[in-house]
């Protein structure tokens, strides 16, 4: 029980800095602004059509798209850029506990803070929907127009027919939340681990990871190499399995009639990859040289 208490204290110590950290406020502020800008197309379209939205549809249509996931996840670079936080109270804490428990506290903080941030994004899109939304677990007329007319594709709102026909809003929103959370947890783990390797390499690692996902999207590959329809289909399947960003994109999954990864495959990928990075972080901290704020090197 004492070890669990120390792990919890190490995690809560990081949360205690939030009130006085400008970069945390900036990360959440930019996240809300991004939600406002990204969900605006769906809300404006519903208003123009005189129709309502299901409460979770702004979140579904916004973060069912790879580019939106990529944009919002970059806020995590701000949120976790300074980890591990080595303020002056950390030396005293390390005297009273072990490096392993301190590290477990840092990883617990990563998981809780990332979950809180993604939950904030979900709540923001629901709040922005306001009086234009209803809570019933049924797709709205707006979704039907966007999906079946093809208008959604023309205005970059991913209201795909297979999503409308095979799922309901609550289940769809839960899966998109889980996929975005899995992608964000892996990204935050990489930022933390590379910061442990030396300097502040986590920012560069996070940017490279995000760029890797962006450049492995079928649209980018098809545009670069001018692929025909058959080659595009093969690239779509191949990069659907290889790209972490595609794993986080809901419609890039197998719903029974293609060779894309299933949802459980993507959850397993994010869980396994995050676990590997966490284990590497535990290995790295054994030889990590702590340089504390306000002390001589």
């Amino acid at each position: 029980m004492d070890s669990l208490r120390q792990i919890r204290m190490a995690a809560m110590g990081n949360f205690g800095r939030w009130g006085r950290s400008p970069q945390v406020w900036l990360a959440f502020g930019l996240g809300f602004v991004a939600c406002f800008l990204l969900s605006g197309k769906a809300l404006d379209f519903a208003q123009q059509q005189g129709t309502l939205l299901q409460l979770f549809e702004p979140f579904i249509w916004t973060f069912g798209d790879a580019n939106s996931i990529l944009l919002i996840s970059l806020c995590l670079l701000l949120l976790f850029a300074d980890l591990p936080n080595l303020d002056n109270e950390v030396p005293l804490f390390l005297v009273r506990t072990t490096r392993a428990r301190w590290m477990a506290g840092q990883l617990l903080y990563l998981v809780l803070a990332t979950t809180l941030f993604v939950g904030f994004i979900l709540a923001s899109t629901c709040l922005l929907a306001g009086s234009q939304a209803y809570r019933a677990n049924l797709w709205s007329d707006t979704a039907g127009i966007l999906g079946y007319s093809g208008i959604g594709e023309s205005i970059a709102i991913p209201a795909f027919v297979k999503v409308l026909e095979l799922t309901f809003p609550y289940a769809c929103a839960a899966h998109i939340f889980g996929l975005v959370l899995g992608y964000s947890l892996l990204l935050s783990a990489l930022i933390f681990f590379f910061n442990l390797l030396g300097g502040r390499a986590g920012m560069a690692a996070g940017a490279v990871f995000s760029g890797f996902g962006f450049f492995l999207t079928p649209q980018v590959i098809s545009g670069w190499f001018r692929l025909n329809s058959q080659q595009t289909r093969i690239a779509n399947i191949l990069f659907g399995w290889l790209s972490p960003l595609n794993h986080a994109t809901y419609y890039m999954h197998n719903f029974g009639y293609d060779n894309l990864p299933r949802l459980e495959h993507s959850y397993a990928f994010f869980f396994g990859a995050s676990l590997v990075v966490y284990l590497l972080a535990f290995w790295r901290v054994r030889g990590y040289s702590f340089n504390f704020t306000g002390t001589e090197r």
Side-chain angles (χ1 to χ4, degrees):
M1 293 298 294
D2 188 56
S3 62
L4 293 177
R5 183 180 63 83
Q6 291 178 346
I7 291 171
R8 180 180 60 82
M9 289 178 61
M12 292 303 107
N14 287 306
F15 282 111
R17 298 170 42 251
W18 278 26
R20 61 180 187 274
S21 175
Q23 70 187 52
V24 171
W25 288 98
L26 182 60
F28 278 87
L30 289 176
F32 183 82
V33 170
C35 289
F36 175 78
L37 296 175
L38 293 172
S39 63
K41 290 182 293 184
L43 296 173
D44 290 343
F45 181 80
Q47 190 171 29
Q48 292 168 7
Q49 298 296 315
T51 55
L52 296 176
L53 288 161
Q54 204 280 337
L55 182 63
F56 291 119
E57 282 181 359
F59 177 76
I60 291 170
W61 306 139
T62 299
F63 295 101
D65 179 68
N67 292 331
S68 298
I69 297 171
L70 178 63
L71 178 62
I72 207 70
S73 66
L74 293 179
C75 295
L76 294 174
L77 294 176
L78 277 174
L79 193 59
F80 299 124
D82 61 347
L83 285 182
N85 172 51
L86 300 179
D87 285 344
N88 291 334
E89 67 270 13
V90 178
L92 178 62
F93 188 84
L94 286 171
V95 170
R96 296 172 176 267
T97 188
T98 65
R99 289 190 177 207
R101 292 177 185 176
W102 176 83
M103 174 59 72
Q106 305 308 302
L107 297 183
L108 176 61
Y109 166 72
L110 280 179
V111 173
L112 294 177
T114 305
T115 304
L116 180 62
F117 181 78
V118 179
F120 170 79
I121 296 302
L122 172 60
S124 296
T125 56
C126 293
L127 178 64
L128 290 168
S131 60
Q132 292 180 249
Y134 61 87
R135 291 177 300 199
N137 191 23
L138 295 170
W139 295 113
S140 67
D141 291 339
T142 307
I145 297 171
L146 289 170
Y148 289 99
S149 69
I151 296 176
E153 185 175 356
S154 66
I155 61 176
I157 299 177
F160 290 94
V161 173
K162 69 177 182 180
V163 174
L164 299 177
E165 292 183 342
L166 298 174
T167 62
F168 287 96
Y170 281 15
C172 185
H175 281 302
I176 291 176
F177 180 88
L179 293 171
V180 175
L181 178 60
Y183 180 85
S184 300
L185 285 172
L186 179 55
L187 175 60
S188 62
L190 286 170
I191 294 170
F192 181 69
F193 172 66
F194 277 91
N195 277 345
L196 285 176
L197 286 182
R200 293 298 175 187
M203 290 285 284
V208 169
F209 176 77
S210 299
F212 174 77
F214 173 76
F215 289 121
L216 284 186
T217 54
Q219 296 83 357
V220 173
I221 296 295
S222 300
W224 279 359
F225 297 102
R226 302 182 183 278
L227 303 180
N228 59 39
S229 58
Q230 179 63 22
Q231 292 170 328
T232 299
R233 178 179 175 277
I234 295 173
N236 188 64
I237 295 172
L238 178 62
F239 296 120
W241 284 93
L242 294 179
S243 169
L245 186 57
N246 285 333
H247 276 287
T249 307
Y250 184 70
Y251 68 84
M252 289 292 294
H253 286 85
N254 185 339
F255 291 95
Y257 50 84
D258 53 33
N259 296 314
L260 290 168
R262 293 184 179 273
L263 290 168
E264 55 266 28
H265 296 150
S266 294
Y267 291 134
F269 167 76
F270 287 127
F271 176 80
S274 299
L275 181 61
V276 168
V277 178
Y278 291 155
L279 292 175
L280 288 173
F282 271 102
W283 167 79
R284 174 67 183 107
V285 80
R286 294 170 59 189
Y288 183 69
S289 178
F290 288 91
N291 292 312
F292 298 105
T293 304
T295 61
E296 295 182 359
R297 293 177 177 267

